[in-house]
Amino acid sequence: MKNELIKPKGLVTNTNRRNFLKFGTMSVAGAGLLLMGCNDDEDMMPPTMNEGVKLGSGDIGILNYAYALEQLEAAFYATVMTGGYFANASAEEKTIMGDLEKHERAHREFFKAALGEAAIADLEVDFSSIDFNDRASVLGAAKTFEDLGVAAYNGAGQFIENVDYLLIAGKIVSVEARHAAAIRDLINPGSDDFAGDDLIDSNGLERTLNFTEVLTAASTYVTTPIDFSQLPTS
Amino acid sequence: MNLLKLLDTMCPDTNSSEEKDMFFSRREAFRQFGDLSKKVAMAAVPLGVLTALPKVAKADTESLIGVLNYALTLEHLEYRYYQMGVESGVIDGADLNIFTKIRDHELAHVNFLTEVIGNVLGGMPVAEPEFDFTAGGNFSPFMDYPTFLALAQAFEDTGVRAYKGQAGNVMESDVVLTAALSIHSVEARHASMVRRLRTKKGQDTVKGWITNASIGSLPAATQAIYAGEDNVTHGGVDVTSLTGIDAAAVSEGWDEPLNKDQVLGIASLFLA
């Protein structure tokens, strides 16, 4: 008991984090409560500003960052399904687009549920630069989104504090990489572009992007301002 | 998350002020190392920097070396497999660029991990084991292209799951975690390509992503590679109930980890 007095604050905080995950086995009805245990001052949860959204800080901020990207991807594939490209696509490409639409929607809904009240609002998107009747335009945008998603998760991983969140992000990022490789192969069939030198360096490591780089790239397609100033920097 | 945070979670279990001082000065040493690691690229980490760290760091370094040697073992296996495949002539000419690229990545991973273990962490990189890719005469991957493709899929999907299973074990080091993630997604790209190639060749009907825990047309010996991939519950949330999306698609949307024993069980089939 004496030792309690000299425990660094971090230990207490982390213990709480671990404990609350034990509550994480509740089902959908309670899904919104998943993050309630995170009420230490690092993980404030500010859902909205007047105009735009605030991602927040700590792990909540990073989960909202992922949620923002998944919203963007899900909205993109939902629009793809309504366009002329999809209507005329080959059977293989129809299957791929249909799968990606479901995967990204599932990712989006998962983050929304996991974040509960801490979740940012729905983002407004602007896909006016994409021609959904044109194969090259759709696949080019899909490549941008999927490669961006991989680099974003890979770059954010080091800032995640909770090991369970890190694992969940890891479970998703490899699927985004599987998507990215497939899209790249549709664009340049049978080439080595699925894991191209534009992304993978001489050590065999895929590129990582930081929060600013990712959100700057995404801002072409998102009209809602995103305040990510509270995301962790170290 | 980083080494400093790890130290923050430790606690000098003592009332001796001298020992507490030592603890906090060690923590300060980590703080400086943390700053350093942010500023320098992986490859530029000065040799032996970790040997200058206080003693408390050694246990964590040992643990990192252990995880990275495990990864290196798998990378040796993958590299040797593709190198032998390329040399054997079993690969269709049209697909040679794909497997040459994958081989090059696996070699780069071998070299990178060897460098990090040996020259950055000051450990002893594992030597390449002797492999038997026939698994005791059961497979002929270098004489039969469909078999070559099937084992390539098995190795890539295993690699993705193996790296994922270690993320938590390297998360104290931001640099090592980021490097591991950056290898992990490359393995996933390989897996996607090889899986789709097998389907294009009429060998299977698998997609780039793993549906349920299906082994498709792979031999039954590969079942352990896909065990648990049908999970649809994440962070306590059953995503199928949440979204109404079918379980097959939800299972595709999340890859699952394998622990070290599971992976070594799989890999041991191919150790001579």
Side-chain angles (χ1 to χ4, degrees):
Chain A
M1 274 303 129
K2 254 187 204 167
N3 284 339
E4 290 292 325
L5 297 173
I6 54 166
K7 268 185 185 170
K9 209 182 165 196
L11 179 60
V12 177
T13 305
N14 285 333
T15 304
N16 286 344
R17 283 204 181 112
R18 232 147 251 147
N19 282 343
F20 99 75
L21 267 153
K22 290 180 187 155
F23 297 112
T25 49
M26 61 186 73
S27 59
V28 187
L33 299 171
L34 262 181
L35 298 173
M36 269 188 53
C38 276
N39 55 2
D40 63 302
D41 50 11
E42 246 183 57
D43 286 347
M44 296 286 282
M45 42 175 212
T48 52
M49 300 184 302
N50 286 340
E51 289 195 3
V53 296
K54 236 173 156 176
L55 299 183
S57 62
D59 281 353
I60 296 274
I62 294 173
L63 294 181
N64 264 324
Y65 172 69
Y67 177 42
L69 294 174
E70 299 293 353
Q71 281 195 39
L72 178 61
E73 288 187 304
F76 168 71
Y77 290 108
T79 312
V80 168
M81 306 293 281
T82 66
Y85 154 70
F86 182 76
N88 298 308
S90 70
E92 185 199 14
E93 294 186 17
K94 271 202 167 85
T95 300
I96 289 176
M97 291 297 159
D99 281 355
L100 269 47
E101 190 278 329
K102 284 188 198 175
H103 301 167
E104 305 301 2
R105 179 155 49 94
H107 293 164
R108 180 191 67 196
E109 294 306 305
F110 166 77
F111 279 114
K112 185 176 185 175
L115 281 156
E117 288 186 359
I120 54 169
D122 294 351
L123 299 177
E124 284 189 21
V125 294
D126 173 10
F127 294 137
S128 57
S129 59
I130 303 164
D131 180 352
F132 287 93
N133 297 318
D134 180 70
R135 181 178 184 271
S137 180
V138 170
L139 293 182
K143 170 178 151 174
T144 300
F145 291 138
E146 299 294 348
D147 285 341
L148 186 66
V150 178
Y153 277 101
N154 280 353
Q158 63 175 311
F159 299 113
I160 299 175
E161 295 187 28
N162 182 306
V163 66
D164 299 82
Y165 297 162
L166 177 63
L167 178 59
I168 288 171
K171 290 180 179 194
I172 291 176
V173 65
S174 55
V175 173
E176 303 292 351
R178 290 172 185 270
H179 292 172
I183 295 291
R184 281 173 162 257
D185 186 57
L186 293 181
I187 295 172
N188 289 309
S191 74
D192 60 13
D193 201 36
F194 67 97
D197 292 343
D198 56 326
L199 296 176
I200 296 162
D201 70 15
S202 59
N203 286 320
L205 307 185
E206 180 153 0
R207 105 191 139 141
T208 62
L209 292 175
N210 65 35
F211 300 122
T212 306
E213 290 166 326
V214 169
L215 291 172
T216 302
S219 67
T220 308
Y221 308 99
V222 178
T223 49
T224 310
I226 298 175
D227 176 355
F228 63 103
S229 60
Q230 290 178 286
L231 288 183
T233 52
S234 66
Chain B
M1 195 57 242
N2 53 31
L3 290 169
L4 176 61
K5 289 229 172 81
L6 181 76
L7 263 197
D8 272 336
T9 65
M10 296 175 183
C11 166
D13 189 19
T14 173
N15 288 326
S16 150
S17 60
E18 194 184 329
E19 287 180 39
K20 271 187 269 183
D21 284 350
M22 198 186 300
F23 172 79
F24 286 109
S25 71
R26 284 170 182 172
R27 195 171 59 162
E28 190 49 41
F30 269 97
R31 196 182 299 279
Q32 287 160 7
F33 176 65
D35 291 345
L36 179 70
S37 71
K38 286 289 188 299
K39 284 170 195 146
V40 297
M42 188 75 216
V45 172
L47 301 189
V49 68
L50 281 184
T51 60
L53 288 173
K55 267 187 186 158
V56 70
K58 290 289 169 60
D60 305 317
T61 306
E62 287 303 314
S63 147
L64 279 180
I65 290 170
V67 173
L68 295 182
N69 263 328
Y70 159 70
L72 177 57
T73 305
L74 292 179
E75 297 292 353
H76 274 307
L77 180 148
E78 290 185 307
Y79 165 66
R80 187 56 59 195
Y81 183 71
Y82 293 112
Q83 177 60 16
M84 290 175 74
V86 167
E87 283 175 352
S88 72
V90 75
I91 299 169
D92 277 1
D95 304 333
L96 203 52
N97 59 335
I98 293 169
F99 287 104
T100 305
K101 176 57 72 183
I102 294 178
R103 182 221 33 209
D104 291 349
H105 287 159
E106 308 303 5
L107 177 59
H109 295 161
V110 167
N111 292 337
F112 176 77
L113 291 172
T114 301
E115 177 73 14
V116 171
I117 294 165
N119 287 334
V120 179
L121 297 178
M124 181 65 75
V126 291
E128 181 182 341
E130 292 279 325
F131 295 111
D132 168 21
F133 293 112
T134 74
N138 285 303
F139 304 116
S140 304
F142 306 124
M143 291 190 283
D144 178 60
Y145 191 40
T147 302
F148 176 83
L149 292 173
L151 288 187
Q153 177 188 320
F155 292 145
E156 296 299 340
D157 282 334
T158 301
V160 175
R161 301 192 69 180
Y163 274 95
K164 202 185 310 296
Q166 296 304 313
N169 292 333
V170 298
M171 72 187 291
E172 315 92 76
S173 168
D174 291 354
V175 178
V176 172
L177 174 65
T178 302
L181 287 170
S182 299
I183 294 177
H184 170 244
S185 63
V186 172
E187 302 293 345
R189 285 175 181 271
H190 295 171
S192 175
M193 189 67 205
V194 173
R195 294 172 66 90
R196 293 182 56 257
L197 187 58
R198 290 188 62 243
T199 292
K200 283 192 214 179
K201 302 266 169 194
Q203 299 298 319
D204 212 330
T205 55
V206 291
K207 302 191 266 198
W209 22 97
I210 301 165
T211 308
N212 298 318
S214 173
I215 62 170
S217 68
L218 293 185
T222 61
Q223 187 60 65
I225 296 170
Y226 296 97
E229 277 288 352
D230 51 350
N231 177 40
V232 293
T233 298
H234 305 283
V237 180
D238 179 335
V239 182
T240 54
S241 316
L242 177 73
T243 59
I245 297 172
D246 56 290
V250 170
S251 76
E252 290 168 354
W254 277 261
D255 280 333
E256 299 295 322
L258 282 176
N259 68 34
K260 199 168 169 177
D261 287 346
Q262 290 171 309
V263 170
L264 292 178
I266 294 162
S268 66
L269 295 175
F270 301 98
L271 293 173

